[in-house]
Amino acid sequence: MTLRKFKRLLPLFAASLLTCLAVSAQPPAKADPGVVLEGVLAGEFALQAGRLSEAAERYLVAATATGDVAVAERATQVALLANRAELAAAALERWLALDPQSQGALAARATLALRQGQADQAFEALRGLYRHPGDDGWRRAMQALVAAGAADTAHGVMTRLLEADALPDELQAWLSFGGLAQRLGHRELSLRVVERVVARFPDEPRAWLLKAGQLRQAGDDEGARAAIGRILQHAGEDTALRLAAAGEFDRLGDPRAAAEALARGPQDDQLYAARAAYLARAGDKEGLAALYAEIQAAGTERPDPLRRLLLGQLAEHLERRDEALRWYRSVPAGPTRGQARLRIALVLESAGDIDGAVRQLRELQVSEDEDGELVRDSYLLEAELHTRRGEYHEALAVYGRGLAIFEDDPRLLYGRALTHERLDDIAAAEADLRAILEFDPDNTETLNALGYTLADRTDRHEEALGYIERAYAADPDNPAIIDSLGWVLYRLGRVEEALRHLRRAFEMMQDAEIAAHLGEVLWVTGEHEAARAIWEQGRALDPDNRALRETLERFVP
């Protein structure tokens, strides 16, 4: 055992020793302190080493030898963690014998019953928890349902609890219950819960928030809008609820309505920023100009740093560069100032003053007043400015300077890897990506980038598939990863599988590079017209995309 691990276990050992000393002062339980101490410590050692079954066995020995409730509770929890039903049942029996009224034991009984498919026992235990006053009972019931991992049995028991009207008259209990039904994929049950919630709590905006989301997912946009109206009707000055209502409008594809919803009532900087983001997403320059004037009218004699930064961003978006620079330069020293200084560089670049932008960033890079993350970002931005101008060797030099200070920084390494790839130095790109994975082996972005690079630029396709599959397992709904998976499958000759993934990726994200890949697979399967149509869509999205240009050169000279 390492010294570090031993130090981490010391608190557990100390707690175990105190428990055993307490046990030794309880003669009626006929505890054997030596047996208890040995069982608890051996159980903790096994647990820390990942030997769950052994830990459960050791803890049960300790629980059987003592009258201490805490040891019996721990033994039950460890047995449930190890998924050893027979050990959990024995430990739970001991726990209940020592503390028959324990809500924790009742929750453990529900979990065990659900796992064993014993619906009646699970129902009775959960109903007992829901009957407890306060919120501890229903929270434990929810934890038991989540911990069980038995979706089918849980569905039947949850349905019985709903029909028996077992849930307490507390909104949060109902919202949690409905949310779990939705996560488990029980749509019909979720619908029934939502109907009960809005009927029981008609003036609660959080109930209508749940209803709005349900209607949106069902494709009833008008019904969802009406529900959002009920939220706003009762939200008052609750900023969190107003933002949630606006988010529902945005998910309906209407960011302008989201901004309008937030414009009602008292304003603060959080609402101003959200309104600006929604109006920008809607491309509403007129609305942004009105918001810019509104914020200035609200008082700009001594606006705080966040408001100055927001005003600069609005001016920048409205292409009022001089005003944007004035606002950014007026941000005082503090956490917001560094962000303003980065924005100044972008404004100067947009005005064509590349040298001025680089000078601004290099001033940041030698600043002793800004935090390390911001200084690191100044290197990233300078490299990006060079990359946008096709100055890849200059970008590499910037990454090198940054990594000399921020050694092994994953974002700098990732950016340099992409630049190496653009310069066709695949070995150097691979080395940087592997360097990231050395200290963050589950980094999905890097796994995907390494897999895609190997799939696209080498013949090591089987190796590439392994990296991409790891990324896909961690993030199966990421269109960039789905595109990589489709591309490597194509390179492996698994064309039908590739086509399915590439179609899904393009449906999820309209992107020129995905269009290049999908079009190529369609072309080689003989669907030339479909391929041309996809490529045209990609060209409309980004006519300068390198992957698309190279694909068209190969297939449509």
Side-chain angles (χ1 to χ4, degrees):
M1 175 182 292
T2 65
L3 179 61
R4 180 182 299 176
K5 190 168 185 180
F6 181 76
K7 287 180 176 178
R8 192 168 68 244
L9 289 175
L10 277 177
L12 293 169
F13 294 166
S16 300
L17 183 58
L18 288 173
T19 295
C20 293
L21 290 173
V23 167
S24 66
Q26 298 175 13
K30 297 181 181 180
D32 183 337
V35 173
V36 178
L37 180 60
E38 180 183 357
V40 169
L41 295 185
E44 284 299 334
F45 270 120
L47 190 62
Q48 292 295 320
R51 302 192 302 271
L52 301 183
S53 285
E54 181 185 339
E57 291 166 0
R58 295 285 192 168
Y59 255 112
L60 182 58
V61 170
T64 304
T66 180
D68 188 85
V69 175
V71 177
E73 178 178 358
R74 181 72 166 160
T76 306
Q77 292 169 342
V78 173
L80 287 171
L81 182 64
N83 204 22
R84 292 287 301 276
E86 74 285 1
L87 300 181
L92 178 59
E93 183 179 356
R94 181 66 172 158
W95 186 2
L96 285 167
L98 296 169
D99 187 4
Q101 304 304 315
S102 169
Q103 291 186 51
L106 203 56
R109 171 176 281 179
T111 300
L112 184 60
L114 285 166
R115 287 185 182 179
Q116 294 181 309
Q118 298 170 345
D120 290 341
Q121 293 90 326
F123 171 74
E124 290 300 332
L126 290 167
R127 185 164 63 172
L129 285 169
Y130 278 120
R131 284 174 174 167
H132 276 280
D135 63 1
D136 190 50
W138 71 258
R139 289 187 187 279
R140 286 183 181 273
M142 289 302 301
Q143 290 167 3
L145 285 162
V146 172
D152 290 340
T153 305
H155 176 232
V157 172
M158 290 174 72
T159 301
R160 288 178 63 183
L161 289 167
L162 183 67
E163 291 171 347
D165 200 21
L167 275 67
D169 195 26
E170 186 170 337
L171 176 63
Q172 191 55 50
W174 283 85
L175 294 177
S176 299
F177 193 84
L180 179 60
Q182 194 169 36
R183 289 198 302 276
L184 292 175
H186 303 316
R187 186 172 178 275
E188 183 180 345
L189 177 60
S190 176
L191 291 172
R192 292 176 62 187
V193 173
V194 171
E195 291 302 325
R196 293 279 190 93
V197 169
V198 295
R200 185 173 292 221
F201 307 97
D203 297 328
E204 270 285 358
R206 287 178 296 168
W208 287 99
L209 182 62
L210 192 65
K211 180 70 172 176
Q214 181 192 87
L215 291 167
R216 171 177 51 78
Q217 291 173 357
D220 184 357
D221 289 2
E222 288 306 311
R225 287 176 184 276
I228 298 169
R230 294 290 294 267
I231 300 168
L232 294 169
Q233 180 184 344
H234 296 286
E237 297 182 12
D238 189 324
T239 299
L241 278 171
R242 295 169 70 192
L243 288 167
E248 282 297 324
F249 272 131
D250 187 47
R251 283 185 279 275
L252 284 169
D254 194 349
R256 185 176 282 104
E260 291 171 357
L262 295 178
R264 309 172 192 170
Q267 299 293 300
D268 58 26
D269 286 337
Q270 185 181 15
L271 291 172
Y272 282 141
R275 287 169 62 189
Y278 286 132
L279 289 169
R281 194 173 302 163
D284 187 351
K285 287 289 184 72
E286 186 177 334
L288 285 168
L291 177 60
Y292 182 53
E294 178 187 336
I295 297 173
Q296 292 184 85
T300 58
E301 290 298 319
R302 298 184 62 186
D304 66 23
L306 283 173
R307 188 168 296 188
R308 288 174 185 266
L309 181 65
L310 177 58
L311 285 165
Q313 291 170 320
L314 284 166
E316 183 182 349
H317 203 87
L318 293 167
E319 299 181 5
R320 302 179 188 180
R321 297 190 181 96
D322 290 341
E323 293 178 45
L325 290 172
R326 187 179 73 246
W327 284 117
Y328 288 144
R329 286 170 176 155
S330 75
V331 175
T336 313
R337 182 185 178 192
Q339 293 298 322
R341 295 176 74 181
L342 288 175
R343 299 305 309 178
I344 289 171
L346 289 169
V347 174
L348 291 172
E349 185 218 13
S350 69
D353 185 2
I354 303 300
D355 292 339
V358 170
R359 278 196 305 274
Q360 173 73 17
L361 292 170
R362 291 192 177 177
E363 287 175 11
L364 263 175
Q365 289 161 15
V366 297
S367 173
E368 296 181 356
D369 299 327
E370 304 296 351
D371 65 42
E373 185 174 341
L374 189 82
V375 174
R376 187 276 315 275
D377 288 348
S378 69
Y379 285 103
L380 289 168
L381 182 53
E382 184 186 349
E384 177 61 25
L385 295 185
H386 287 300
T387 299
R388 288 206 284 255
R389 294 166 61 82
E391 299 167 351
Y392 301 126
H393 289 288
E394 289 84 348
L396 281 182
V398 176
Y399 286 124
R401 286 192 288 110
L403 284 163
I405 300 170
F406 302 97
E407 187 178 1
D408 294 331
D409 180 85
R411 292 187 62 186
L412 288 167
L413 284 170
Y414 190 85
R416 190 171 71 173
L418 297 186
T419 306
H420 280 310
E421 190 273 337
R422 286 176 176 272
L423 289 169
D424 297 322
D425 190 347
I426 304 307
E430 181 180 349
D432 280 340
L433 294 172
R434 289 191 183 280
I436 298 171
L437 293 175
E438 280 183 15
F439 52 84
D440 187 7
D442 297 321
N443 186 308
T444 55
E445 183 180 39
T446 305
L447 286 168
N448 182 54
L450 178 56
Y452 178 78
T453 300
L454 295 177
D456 193 55
R457 305 300 297 275
T458 77
D459 59 0
R460 294 153 59 190
H461 301 147
E462 287 289 352
E463 183 182 354
L465 178 62
Y467 291 115
I468 295 169
E469 285 183 332
R470 283 171 60 190
Y472 182 71
D475 192 1
D477 295 320
N478 186 319
I481 296 174
I482 297 168
D483 170 58
S484 297
L485 181 58
W487 190 238
V488 72
L489 289 170
Y490 166 63
R491 303 279 279 180
L492 285 164
R494 295 158 61 176
V495 177
E496 290 303 319
E497 293 176 75
L499 195 57
R500 185 174 71 253
H501 288 295
L502 291 171
R503 286 188 191 278
R504 180 177 175 228
F506 194 64
E507 287 172 2
M508 295 174 70
M509 183 171 70
Q510 302 293 294
D511 176 83
E513 188 160 346
I514 300 176
H517 296 156
L518 175 57
E520 178 167 338
V521 178
L522 288 168
W523 184 278
V524 300
T525 58
E527 298 185 49
H528 292 182
E529 290 307 313
R532 291 179 191 275
I534 291 293
W535 284 331
E536 284 305 313
Q537 290 183 56
R539 185 180 287 169
L541 292 165
D542 182 3
D544 298 321
N545 181 270
R546 183 179 61 163
L548 182 59
R549 285 203 323 269
E550 292 175 353
T551 301
L552 291 172
E553 287 170 6
R554 285 188 287 116
F555 291 97
V556 191

